[in-house]
Amino acid sequence: MRTVYVNGAYLPENEASISIFDRGFLMADGVYEVTSVLDGKLIDFDGHAVRLARSLDELEMRNPVSKDDLLEIHRELVRLNGIEEGLIYLQITRGSDGDRDFAFPDPETTEPTVVLFTQNKPSMADSPAAKRGAKVISIDDIRWGRRDIKTVQLLYPSMGKMIAKKAGCDDAWMVEDGFVTEGTSNNAYIVKGNRIITRHLGNEILHGITRAAVLRMAREAQMEVEERSFTIEEAQQADEAFTTSASAFVMPVVEIDGVTLGEGLPGKVAMRLREIYLDEMRKTAV
Ligand code: PDD
């Protein structure tokens, strides 16, 4: 059984609880982060801590945990649960004032809820899915307009994964006004020759922590990086495609809406970036 963290306490998962009036539960009034663990260490912890602070700020929510304490809690959960490879899920909600009301409760009297738990994933780096490559389908992006805030409103992304699954695919890429925004839980890229193309930052997509690292590494490896929108048609004609996220790192994409890319195998650029990313992140893990 896992040991989880709830509002200052480390507890067995079946003894942890929060209020039924918690605004995360009633209103999806909460934000989250997913940080990966390799060799028992945290990958890009700083990036996730900075984005968490920004998400809270954008929602006028108080940050109840200092960065140092947050690091300590992450490390303690890794230790208590013996995680060598896996994920740490963190969620902070606006808490509960013991009732349901659309208006925010007074932050002076209502404490945010802080929950963290681990997910043990032994073959995350040596992933069979990454060796095969993912098949994606496109779906309309009907999410709200502030996708740059990492909120827990994940119903549509969850439905998107189910639509993909029913179509025999692994994931869905979302399309708005004719252009790809991002994957259901990852950022989307195409590759043309030595050029990597991914949507520019804005309110329309989550500013991926893995995206920032991978783009930096691509530039350092003398690849060209173009941050602009692209269509599904352009993606289908690209040499390669891939996605990035804290949970899947760099994941090659081999099929888009039934069109096979190249030979239908993970592309060279995607595989090279996956290798560079994993190598470098293992070295800088905390
Ligand atoms: N998802 N875009 C969306 C919509 C996401 O949900 C995620 C991450 C990303 C990639 O961000 P990062 O590189 O910081 O993980 C992009 C996490 C992993 C999840 O929901 O499980």
Side-chain angles (χ1 to χ4, degrees), residues 16-259:
S17 67
I18 58 165
S19 166
I20 63 156
F21 300 113
D22 193 279
R23 289 181 60 91
F25 177 60
L26 295 180
M27 309 262 181
D29 188 358
V31 301
Y32 77 108
E33 281 296 330
V34 176
T35 304
S36 57
V37 177
L38 291 174
D39 314 319
K41 289 182 175 171
L42 301 161
I43 301 301
D44 219 335
F45 174 80
D46 273 359
H48 291 282
V50 168
R51 186 173 61 191
L52 173 68
R54 180 181 179 275
S55 291
L56 290 167
D57 215 43
E58 291 293 321
L59 297 179
E60 294 171 35
M61 231 188 270
R62 192 163 58 78
N63 192 343
V65 201
S66 73
K67 195 171 147 201
D68 287 350
D69 288 347
L70 204 60
L71 177 58
E72 203 39 54
I73 300 165
H74 276 73
R75 282 179 163 159
E76 186 63 3
L77 281 180
V78 167
R79 194 185 66 77
L80 290 169
N81 293 287
I83 306 293
E84 273 300 304
E85 210 163 302
L87 302 169
I88 314 270
Y89 177 85
L90 151 85
Q91 179 168 335
I92 299 180
T93 77
R94 206 180 302 272
S96 152
D97 64 354
D99 204 352
R100 178 177 183 267
D101 192 346
F102 280 83
F104 294 170
D106 182 353
E108 295 296 323
T109 50
T110 301
E111 283 292 309
T113 300
V114 182
V115 168
L116 286 94
F117 58 80
T118 55
Q119 293 183 284
N120 192 32
K121 300 212 180 266
S123 58
M124 216 164 57
D126 190 26
S127 151
K131 291 188 181 97
R132 204 170 52 237
K135 295 179 180 180
V136 303
I137 56 161
S138 63
I139 59 172
D140 281 345
D141 196 338
I142 58 166
R143 296 173 300 162
W144 79 324
R146 289 304 305 276
R147 303 156 194 159
D148 55 310
I149 307 173
K150 199 164 171 61
T151 72
V152 295
Q153 304 174 70
L154 297 178
L155 181 54
Y156 188 64
S158 176
M159 287 170 74
K161 292 255 196 228
M162 294 313 293
I163 296 168
K165 233 176 162 174
K166 280 185 197 139
C169 291
D170 304 288
D171 202 0
W173 279 12
M174 294 178 281
V175 176
E176 186 172 56
D177 299 331
F179 294 100
V180 174
T181 50
E182 58 188 333
T184 56
S185 62
N186 43 60
N187 291 116
Y189 306 72
I190 57 174
V191 180
K192 289 174 150 188
N194 191 37
R195 211 152 22 103
I196 292 161
I197 300 156
T198 193
R199 195 182 175 105
H200 50 281
L201 296 179
N203 293 343
E204 305 79 22
I205 62 166
L206 185 74
H207 302 187
I209 302 306
T210 320
R211 177 188 183 279
V214 165
L215 291 188
R216 174 174 54 77
M217 290 170 198
R219 287 185 175 112
E220 283 166 9
Q222 312 306 322
M223 297 175 193
E224 278 174 54
V225 173
E226 216 178 306
E227 294 180 66
R228 63 155 172 92
S229 304
F230 58 86
T231 62
I232 288 290
E233 292 68 35
E234 185 179 10
Q236 287 172 324
Q237 284 155 28
D239 298 323
E240 297 181 27
F242 63 92
T243 61
T244 64
S245 68
S247 51
F249 311 122
V250 178
M251 176 62 63
V253 167
V254 295
E255 187 188 296
I256 303 170
D257 280 344
V259 174

